[in-house]
Amino acid sequence: MRDTYYITTPIYYVNDLPHIGHIYTTVMADIFARYHRMAGRDVRFLTGTDEHGQKIERAAATQGIRPIELADRVVARYHHLWEQLEISHDDFIRTTEPRHQRGVTEIIRRIQAKGDIYKGEYSGWYCAGCEAFFPETQLVEGRCPDQGHPVELLSEPSYFFRLSAYQEGLLEWYRDNPGCVEPRSRYNEVLRFVEGGLRDLSISRRSLSWGIPFPGDEDHVVYVWLDALTNYLSALGFGSADDTLFHRYWPAQLHLVGKDILRFHCVYWPAFLMSAGLPLPEKVFGHGWWMRDEAKMSKSLGNVVRPDHLLERFGPDALRYFLAREMAFGQDATFSDEAFLERYNADLANNLGNTTSRTLSMTHRYLEGRVPAPGGGGQVAAAAGQATAAYLGAMDRLEPHRALEAVWQLLAAINGFIQESQPWALAKAGARSQDHLEEVLGTSLEGLRIVTLMIAPFMPGVALRLESQLGVPEPRHELSRELAWDAGQRGRKLGENQPLFPRVDIKAYLEEVSMEAEKQQESKPAETPAKESTIGIDEFARIQLKVGTVREAEMIPKSKKLLRLMVDLGEDELRQVVAGIAERYDPEELLGRRIVIVANLEPARLMGVESRGMILAATDADGHPFILSPDGDVPPGSEVR
Ligand code: MSP
């Protein structure tokens, strides 16, 4: 029997449309799924949606629809998006499906039979945004520590899971399986967290109705994380009459998740499984975040990048490549159009596109499209040997960005070889150089065949098109056989030569995008009537401008621009404000300084720090900020009109 490889993505909440952060997890899982299929494993790749809980219930209520209607809409978007991105999942689970409810009921039955569930009273600070309770000690300025959402104190009867009983079991699991949580830094975090002690976990909610009824007590619904995590089992038929898939694929080889949900996967999930007497997953990998403007891309911060435009303009492969190459797997990275376009032009249009198109067109021109034998391959064969070994090692170590680096090294070697051997000069020299010409082109084409095979998990569409141009008949994508030098079929004819990645004029593209954004803005129905560029005095009066005195100022760690200020607004009010002025002002020189702030601005979080107001500053042509101060000794709290 072949090795099985069960890989999962988190299941996505349906209160939001997918953005680059969500796409990333699924694209990476798809790359590994495809890679392991090519390596000959029996792969099962699961993704899906997390549809229960307060967050969804509230989002649906604000749109005036039922939760399931909201879920259906968003699920349709996910299906469409996965199709556009050529995601090759074998199954898509929705937590509102009956098969999922059966799985959840079964796991709770087992946990109950083990004696790990008891009834108690839960009271805690609940963050509806994160669907999680936080102990008081973890709150940051009275808000949830993860996203800065407001929290509410809840108290209600609840069923509890004896998580505390699994502290030792978990520690043992981590110690005996050092690869069970990756990257290493996250493994250490999880270990430290569990060593700090575990409290029992509330696993039911009475305050909520949009969820799976708690078996045996239908006044409660199952806590959304126990519900959600069980998808990995229920999708395999666990708890259903036919559980063949469960026996074949469980335990999972890889749960791929973002680092924000690592704890749920590395602490709660294995504890539930241990209690239910089920084997534990082999590995949970917590990848980093896509950031924008120095903060995690997320709906609540309103800084998300939607994939639609990039996909429409550049197709799925360029986006997949960028996501896999730009982010060191496990670390954070910043998403920008500029970075995308630069990689597109340099790596795809230039290195990959030009190397293939020049080799193919020379073969068409000089050899009428006949693919010559590659011979021993010399330096290119050696580079291919090194690249394939590095590639396989990197993919197995979950370092896809390094795997791509290895492929691009081979491309560079092929390019260098062509440059050195000058096939165009050999062609000119006529018959006496014919053998040499054939060897050079044969060698280059063989190198490119191997490149194409290695990029197939990353850019499946492009790989197929390239293979047809290279004349590879019915590509099978079997790594162990096809990665070898000279494994290509003899006597092939090239297919038609088509450009794969037309170069982009970055400046023109960025202008086009910003004009489009402006147009969209203009075509939005005006929120203020008629005179667009003026506002009435009443409208201005709604803005509260106040004089304040800076009492404290400090840099916000890891930020180059942001300062945290405590501003005295009179009447004993000290207000925390975050200001992007650090490039021009040292914190010390601001102390005691009079400034003007917008005092009734909606609070926002910047780099995790709450800002309740905004400092007024003028900007010069280079964008440098100049703080505004009153021209005289006005007491803090004075109104500005
Ligand atoms: N529903 C839960 C998961 C339950 S799994 C049993 C959830 N859903 S989510 O929709 O909020 O997030 C799903 C995935 O998207 C997570 O892996 C999360 O880390 C990832 N991302 C969301 N925003 C992200 C970035 N800005 N960057 C990278 N990935 C991030 O959590």
Side-chain angles (χ1 to χ4, degrees), residues 546-549 567-575 597 599 636-638:
K546 283 190 179 176
V547 173
T549 307
V567 181
D568 179 354
L569 288 181
E571 295 178 345
D572 288 336
E573 187 183 357
L574 257 191
R575 188 67 90 78
I597 76 164
S638 303

Side-chain angles (χ1 to χ4, degrees), residues 9-16 19-26 48-51 55-56 78 95 129-131 147 224-232 256-262 264-265 269 285 287-292 295-299 303-304 327 332-333:
T9 72
I11 46 173
Y12 299 94
Y13 287 131
V14 290
N15 62 332
D16 189 13
H19 60 67
I20 291 288
H22 306 121
I23 287 178
Y24 179 69
T25 319
T26 303
T49 40
D50 188 353
E51 305 186 7
K55 212 190 304 241
I56 317 300
Y78 270 105
T95 54
C130 303
E131 309 267 15
Q147 306 271 343
V224 72
W225 273 99
L226 171 53
D227 170 342
L229 287 160
T230 307
N231 88 87
Y232 302 132
L256 191 57
V257 302
K259 64 180 179 182
D260 46 335
I261 54 173
L262 197 73
F264 298 102
H265 284 81
W269 181 227
F285 188 96
H287 67 67
W289 285 338
W290 282 101
M291 316 282 280
R292 186 97 171 160
K296 179 191 176 204
M297 200 185 283
S298 75
K299 182 186 173 196
N303 60 350
V304 299
M327 187 182 253
D332 293 345

Side-chain angles (χ1 to χ4, degrees), residues 353-469:
N354 282 350
T355 312
T356 48
S357 82
R358 76 196 290 215
T359 314
L360 292 167
S361 63
M362 283 191 284
T363 314
H364 277 292
R365 209 167 334 128
Y366 306 144
L367 305 176
E368 280 138 15
R370 186 172 40 81
V371 180
Q379 70 206 68
V380 176
Q386 275 166 14
T388 51
Y391 171 88
L392 294 171
M395 290 304 277
D396 290 338
R397 284 193 309 276
L398 301 183
E399 293 177 346
H401 56 292
R402 294 243 179 273
L404 284 173
E405 237 169 58
V407 179
W408 260 250
Q409 271 159 13
L410 174 54
L411 265 175
I414 298 170
N415 222 351
F417 172 71
I418 295 175
Q419 219 45 41
E420 252 169 53
S421 330
Q422 309 209 340
W424 48 91
L426 297 173
K428 264 201 202 128
R432 66 194 155 86
S433 298
Q434 181 70 15
D435 287 353
H436 192 187
L437 172 67
E438 296 207 359
E439 196 187 318
V440 170
L441 289 178
T443 299
S444 308
L445 288 167
E446 180 59 3
L448 288 173
R449 185 191 63 78
I450 294 175
V451 163
T452 307
L453 191 63
M454 291 196 281
I455 61 174
F458 295 86
M459 295 190 274
V462 161
L464 281 179
R465 267 180 286 150
L466 256 178
E467 272 156 343
S468 111
Q469 297 184 32

Side-chain angles (χ1 to χ4, degrees), residues 123-245:
S123 134
W125 293 98
Y126 186 69
C127 169
C130 303
E131 309 267 15
F133 277 95
F134 295 98
E136 179 123 23
T137 49
Q138 277 182 18
L139 299 184
V140 177
E141 289 159 26
R143 285 168 168 254
C144 99
D146 287 351
Q147 306 271 343
H149 295 135
V151 289
E152 50 192 327
L153 190 61
L154 283 188
S155 176
E156 60 175 23
S158 171
Y159 290 94
F160 279 80
F161 169 65
R162 273 186 224 287
L163 181 62
S164 56
Y166 289 89
Q167 182 180 9
E168 269 319 302
L170 285 168
L171 290 173
E172 214 169 280
W173 180 54
Y174 305 140
R175 282 192 209 111
D176 294 349
N177 302 277
C180 67
V181 180
E182 281 189 8
R184 192 67 187 171
S185 54
R186 308 241 187 281
Y187 170 91
N188 291 332
E189 269 168 37
V190 170
L191 194 69
R192 251 177 278 131
F193 174 78
V194 175
E195 278 169 350
L198 292 175
R199 294 206 315 196
D200 290 350
L201 181 73
S202 153
I203 52 161
S204 78
R205 293 283 176 271
R206 220 178 56 165
S207 48
L208 196 76
S209 56
W210 181 236
I212 295 180
F214 198 85
D217 186 347
E218 309 234 323
D219 285 345
H220 291 240
V221 298
V222 177
Y223 168 52
V224 72
W225 273 99
L226 171 53
D227 170 342
L229 287 160
T230 307
N231 88 87
Y232 302 132
L233 297 175
S234 58
L236 296 177
F238 174 78
S240 291
D242 180 1
D243 58 2
T244 330
L245 291 176

Side-chain angles (χ1 to χ4, degrees), residues 486-549:
D486 202 6
Q489 215 180 56
R490 292 297 165 96
R492 280 157 33 212
K493 280 285 275 185
L494 295 185
E496 207 179 308
N497 201 0
Q498 305 159 340
L500 293 173
F501 298 105
R503 236 189 129 70
V504 182
D505 177 340
I506 299 188
K507 204 162 148 252
Y509 175 81
L510 291 175
E511 272 166 20
E512 181 194 317
V513 171
S514 75
M515 262 164 57
E516 228 161 80
E518 260 172 50
K519 246 197 271 157
Q520 272 180 4
Q521 204 64 33
E522 282 166 15
S523 62
K524 269 192 197 161
E527 283 167 18
T528 43
K531 295 178 271 172
E532 272 183 15
S533 54
T534 57
I535 59 167
I537 188 79
D538 297 349
E539 236 171 301
F540 175 67
R542 289 180 53 213
I543 304 171
Q544 246 184 46
L545 299 173
K546 283 190 179 176
V547 173
T549 307

